[in-house]
Structures are given as structure tokens and as C-alpha cells.
Amino acid sequence: MTLTVLPHRDAAGLKAGQLYVGGQWTPARDGATWTHLHPATGEEIGEFAVAGAADVDDAVAAAREAFPSWGTSRASTRIGLLLKYAELLRAHADELRALQALDNSVPLSFGAIYATSVAAAADVFTHHAGWVDKAGGQTLPPYQGGDHLALTFREPIGVVGAILPWNAPFLLFAQKVAPALGAGCTMVLKASEYASFAVIRMVELLAEAGLPDGVLNLVTGPGDPTGERLITHPDVDKVSFTGSRAVGKRIVEASAGTLKRVSLELGGKSPAIVFPDAPNVGLAAMTTMGAVTMGLSGQACVANTRALVHRDVYDEFLGAAQGMAAAVTYGDPFDPGVISCPLVNGRQLERVLGYLEKGKAEGRLVTGGERLGGDYASGNFVAPTIFADVDNHATIAQEEIFGPVLAVVPFESEEEAIALANDTEYGLGAGLFTADSARAFRVARRLRAGTIGVNGFQVEPHLPFGGFKQSGLGREGGLSAFEAYTELKTVLMPLGEELM
Ligand code: NAD
């Protein structure tokens, strides 16, 4: 069997090599392009434009020009755009999933998982449409008495540079674009160079929904030159970024020049804690290993890639996790029987293979530990892997691997489990499995992470999501995300003749 996605590529009619600037689709000024290779087959999928510094400057200028009008537009205009776009997304869900499969090889079957689906992205737009006429300021009573008004207003921050990763383009596009446009900001959006085709189509649909020229501009291309120009551009007021911790740190550094506002959604090394009173240890193991293997093959920021398992249920956990590993299927993302994907590119494949070798020295290999060959040899496929008896300080228990690799660490007491869970530089998510609700609450409150799942984990698009510690700055989802695209202004107004 030779894997190929070329018939799907030919059917998709990809938009070639164009940026979206000031309401026009245009090639890069210097004609630079990037050829996208499919992660499962190595086949050439298509070319898109690489925006150079001059193109990013054009896009920022277009966003700046559009800001005074969009930033003061009627609430009904912004609500109308967001709601209409949500409907268009829902109507084009199948087409977008197919484009994503050509981009990053995430299988069509994974569309049934709500969290990163087009349906979830559409719901984010519906949700933020609701804040446009509700997220406002306050009227505050005077602290010192007297007859004057103190009012606060929320005003749009200005021009936002938004940068996306490759792994969940629908949801992450929505988590940035919906609140930013809803709050009255204008934008320059940078797609990941490993997931551009779906994002290009999402922008086309936004234009179809009635986006005014210049309000959102799309630049495609890699971190250098495209991303670098955006994060250092003096006329960008805020950078909203989802991606790796290393690039997040670079963005904080680059923001210093003009003191840009920064929101960061970064990586994690999230723990799943399995207590001996877990209601179903087998299910806990399958849930944990499933999150590390299904759909994104462990290339998910919040996957619980570190399992802390009580010694009393340790062997039962390992057996069920191994069963889950054996059930994962790889291959053609358009095949409904395929439930996972390869690693996104050759660089990531090399990185993960390096961690597998480290893991063999640091833990006990239970299953996997190698690249898949045979029919899979032309893609970046890695076998679902479990390392048991890992020390929590080992590299594979501390670093974000971003592959289908679970590190299992044993523990003996609740106190020890909490200490191990928190002994990480990250703090994005955590899961715990117990039938004791008092323990669940007690432990959840002591874990230093942004989202905690008790006996399961379901990210919803309207809930605040983000990281403690080095997993990020700020939150996406909900009112706090909407407010993160606004500045708070205080206006004081004496009503009488008194001197202030
Ligand atoms: P990445 O950091 O390599 O790239 C992310 C984006 O940043 C891409 O668009 C890339 O082109 C751009 N970029 C790279 N260098 C840049 C630079 N110097 N200046 C500006 N932009 C630059 O990450 P990735 O491989 O696309 O995604 C994987 C990472 O994203 C993982 O660490 C994962 O945990 C994280 N992630 C976090 C969340 C979250 O919500 N917390 C969600 C998804 C992914």
C-alpha cells in the first residue's frame, strides 16, 4: 500500500501563494513562496506566499488605517459579522477539515472530537458576539465624597499581531480573532507555515461574511522573516501568540522595544494523577494514553504526558495504557478508520526520536520507542510509546516532547503526588482520577496549573484556558479573553464647581 493524498489535494482546489492585505489577495512583493510537504506522505501539497518585512509592513499599515473606523463601529456591525461568520464556518466544516488534513494530516475522524473542531471554533465566534454589547466599564462611587462622576471604559487596544501554531488551527484562530474583532481591534494574523491552507480558507470565508477591508490581514510564512517582523513592528500594539515556550520568550523580549501588550499560550508537561480509589483505573489509563496518541499524536499542548500512578494500581494502569497504544491507527488522514497523525515535520521527527533514545536510558520501555516503517516509511510516524518507572526529574518527565510518548512515574501518597505534579516549570493543565470528591477538590486546589480535569478533561471554548508558570501569560476563552483585547480607561468628571 502506498500512501498518497494527491487526489484529495487535486479535489481541494487550494488557493496558491497569496497574502490578504487591505482586502486584496496578493503575492509577496518579492514573489517568495514555501512548498508544503505532507507529513504523512512527503508529497508536495502546494505553495503559499512567504511574507517578507515589506509585506508585513503593508499588512500592519492596512490594519492601522482600518482601526479608527472599526474601533468605533456600531456593536451591531461587529455582532453581525461574528454571528454570520460562525454560520459560514458551520456550513464549511467538511471542507475545512479536508484542508486541515492536507496541512497537518490530522485525520477527518478527529473532527468528531469537539475540542479542536470547526464546530468549537464557530461556537467561539457565537460566544464572543455576546460580549460585544456587554463587556463595558463601570460607574464608581467617589472615594473622597463630593459630587463627581468616575467612569471606566473598555477601548480596543489597537492593532493586534496574532500568531498561530499548526496543531489546532480552527480553534486557535477563533480564540484570537473572535475576541479581537469583537472588541474593535484590527489584526495582522500569521498562520503557521505547517497549517496555512485551512487558515487561508478561513480568511476567505471571513471576507465573505462582510469583513471590511484592512480589519484583518493575513500573512503566511515562517518565524523568520514573517513572524519576526510582526513581533518587532513598532506599530503593532499587542502580540497574541500560541506556540512553543522558546518563541514565547523571544516575543516577550521583542515586546520590550515598544512595550507591546503580550498574551502567550505556550506548552506544557501536564500530569495525570491516578489515585488507588480511581473509579475505573482502566478508563483512566485509556483516557490518558488516548490524549497522548489519538488525533494529534501527542502534539497537543494540554495532553497529560506525565502519568503519576499510585503503586497499588500501577500494573493495572500500565496494562490498559498498553492496550490503548495498540488500538491507535495511522495512515491516510482521509480514511475514516485512521485515528491519529504523524509528527508534523522532519525536524519534529528527529527531536522525538532523540527523546525516545533518552527515554530508553531514563525509564523502562513498555511499548513503542521507534519510528514506524513499512507502509509508513514515507511519513513522520512514531509508534505510541510508554516509558514506566521514570524519575520525575528525568528529561522525558520534564521537557515537552510533543509526540506520542507517555512517561509513567509511581507514587505512594497524596502529598507526594501533589509535590511531583507541581515539580515542573510548566503549568498548563492537570488531570486527577479519584472517586473521593473531597480529595478531588483538595488536590485540584493545590495543583499549580490553569485547567484541572477530575475523572476526565473536556476543554470548552467559552472557559478560560491558559497556563500558570512557563505555560503562558493570560487566558483565552470567556470574558477575560475579550477584555485582554481592550485597554481600561478612567474618566473623571466633577459635576459641581469644586477644585479637584
Ligand atoms: P512554534 O513556536 O514553533 O510556532 C508557532 C508559531 O510561531 C508559528 O506560526 C511560527 O511560524 C511562529 N514563529 C516561530 N518563530 C517565530 C519568531 N521568532 N517570531 C515570531 N513568530 C515565530 O510552535 P508550533 O510547533 O507551531 O506549535 C507547538 C507548540 O505550541 C507547543 O509547544 C504547544 O504546546 C504549543 N501550543 C500551545 C497551546 C495553548 O493553548 N497553550 C495550544 C496549541 C499549541
Side-chain angles (χ1 to χ4, degrees):
M1 174 190 74
T2 310
L3 276 184
T4 177
V5 293
L6 295 184
H8 298 284
R9 177 200 67 180
D10 298 342
L14 302 173
K15 190 169 192 82
Q18 309 237 325
L19 312 168
Y20 189 64
V21 178
Q24 301 296 319
W25 290 97
T26 162
R29 280 179 182 242
D30 64 3
T33 56
W34 169 290
T35 302
H36 177 57
L37 304 181
H38 195 265
T41 65
E43 294 166 318
E44 289 190 7
I45 296 302
E47 287 185 348
F48 51 83
V50 171
D55 301 298
V56 174
D57 291 356
D58 290 347
V60 173
R64 179 56 63 195
E65 196 184 326
F67 178 61
S69 157
W70 184 251
T72 54
S73 60
R74 288 165 183 254
S76 56
T77 304
R78 281 175 276 148
I79 293 170
L81 177 72
L82 267 50
L83 292 180
K84 184 158 184 210
Y85 186 55
E87 284 315 307
L88 273 176
L89 283 179
R90 291 186 182 104
H92 289 268
D94 289 346
E95 178 194 352
L96 289 169
R97 277 196 301 147
L99 288 171
Q100 172 174 248
L102 290 169
D103 275 328
N104 59 17
S105 202
V106 169
L108 297 190
S109 64
F110 198 56
I113 307 283
Y114 176 74
T116 56
S117 65
V118 178
D123 285 351
V124 173
F125 277 90
T126 307
H127 171 75
H128 281 294
W131 288 122
V132 174
D133 61 355
K134 296 175 194 69
Q138 291 176 298
T139 309
L140 296 163
Y143 205 86
Q144 302 174 69
D147 195 13
H148 62 265
L149 274 176
L151 306 169
T152 62
F153 294 84
R154 289 216 167 258
E155 298 186 357
I157 275 186
V159 173
V160 173
I163 301 178
L164 301 179
W166 64 268
N167 64 343
F170 309 140
L171 180 71
L172 301 175
F173 176 107
Q175 293 284 41
K176 298 189 185 323
V177 174
L181 296 189
C185 294
T186 56
M187 305 184 77
V188 177
L189 178 73
K190 190 189 105 50
S192 164
E193 60 275 38
Y194 299 105
S196 290
F197 291 113
V199 172
I200 289 169
R201 185 68 185 129
M202 288 176 88
V203 172
E204 276 188 322
L205 292 173
L206 193 54
E208 201 178 312
L211 177 81
D213 292 351
V215 169
L216 181 141
N217 306 274
L218 174 70
V219 291
T220 47
D224 189 15
T226 315
E228 271 293 325
R229 181 57 184 160
L230 191 54
I231 64 173
T232 50
H233 199 295
D235 213 18
V236 168
D237 299 298
K238 168 169 177 144
V239 173
S240 174
F241 171 77
T242 302
S244 61
R245 176 174 66 169
V247 177
K249 289 184 176 180
R250 166 73 195 123
I251 287 171
V252 170
E253 231 173 59
S255 70
T258 53
L259 280 180
K260 291 182 187 18
R261 279 67 182 132
V262 173
S263 298
L264 302 176
E265 294 285 337
L266 308 177
K269 191 74 190 178
S270 301
I273 310 175
V274 185
F275 288 102
D277 61 359
N280 184 334
V281 173
L283 198 58
M286 286 168 66
T287 305
T288 305
M289 193 58 190
V292 175
T293 52
M294 279 173 59
L296 290 164
S297 219
Q299 299 166 104
C301 55
V302 80
N304 292 331
T305 52
R306 208 162 42 106
L308 310 177
V309 185
H310 194 276
R311 285 201 188 276
D312 287 355
V313 292
Y314 195 72
D315 291 341
E316 187 183 352
F317 178 95
L318 285 179
Q322 209 175 338
M324 181 72 221
V328 181
T329 49
Y330 294 101
D332 175 356
F334 293 89
D335 175 345
V338 166
I339 64 167
S340 194
C341 72
L343 302 180
V344 71
N345 55 37
R347 186 172 43 106
Q348 183 58 14
L349 175 66
E350 289 311 314
R351 258 189 92 237
V352 172
L353 293 177
Y355 280 116
L356 294 183
E357 288 318 303
K358 243 187 185 98
K360 288 170 192 167
E362 291 181 335
R364 170 167 64 88
L365 180 66
V366 175
T367 188
E370 59 189 7
R371 182 177 180 180
L372 296 181
D375 293 341
Y376 304 103
S378 56
N380 309 317
F381 294 98
V382 167
T385 299
I386 302 172
F387 289 109
D389 310 343
V390 178
D391 184 291
N392 197 54
H393 291 126
T395 318
I396 59 163
Q398 287 292 323
E399 294 186 8
E400 184 184 48
I401 296 175
F402 230 52
V405 184
L406 181 69
V408 187
V409 180
F411 72 86
E412 282 173 5
S413 71
E414 181 179 306
E415 205 55 38
E416 185 191 2
I418 294 168
L420 288 169
N422 288 336
D423 189 6
T424 164
E425 293 174 339
Y426 289 106
L428 192 56
L432 56 109
F433 295 87
T434 175
D436 177 345
S437 53
R439 165 180 271 166
F441 214 69
R442 192 167 64 231
V443 176
R445 294 300 306 273
R446 289 185 60 196
L447 292 176
R448 304 275 301 155
T451 304
I452 316 288
V454 177
N455 297 324
F457 196 99
Q458 179 63 60
V459 175
E460 294 235 56
H462 64 302
L463 300 178
F465 180 83
F468 281 37
K469 300 192 270 184
Q470 294 187 35
S471 286
L473 284 179
R475 294 291 179 271
E476 291 198 323
L479 176 60
S480 50
F482 192 96
E483 290 181 343
Y485 291 94
T486 65
E487 293 279 12
L488 198 54
K489 178 182 281 177
T490 304
V491 175
L492 299 165
M493 198 162 122
L495 298 176
E497 298 273 307
E498 83 257 36
L499 291 173
M500 294 294 284

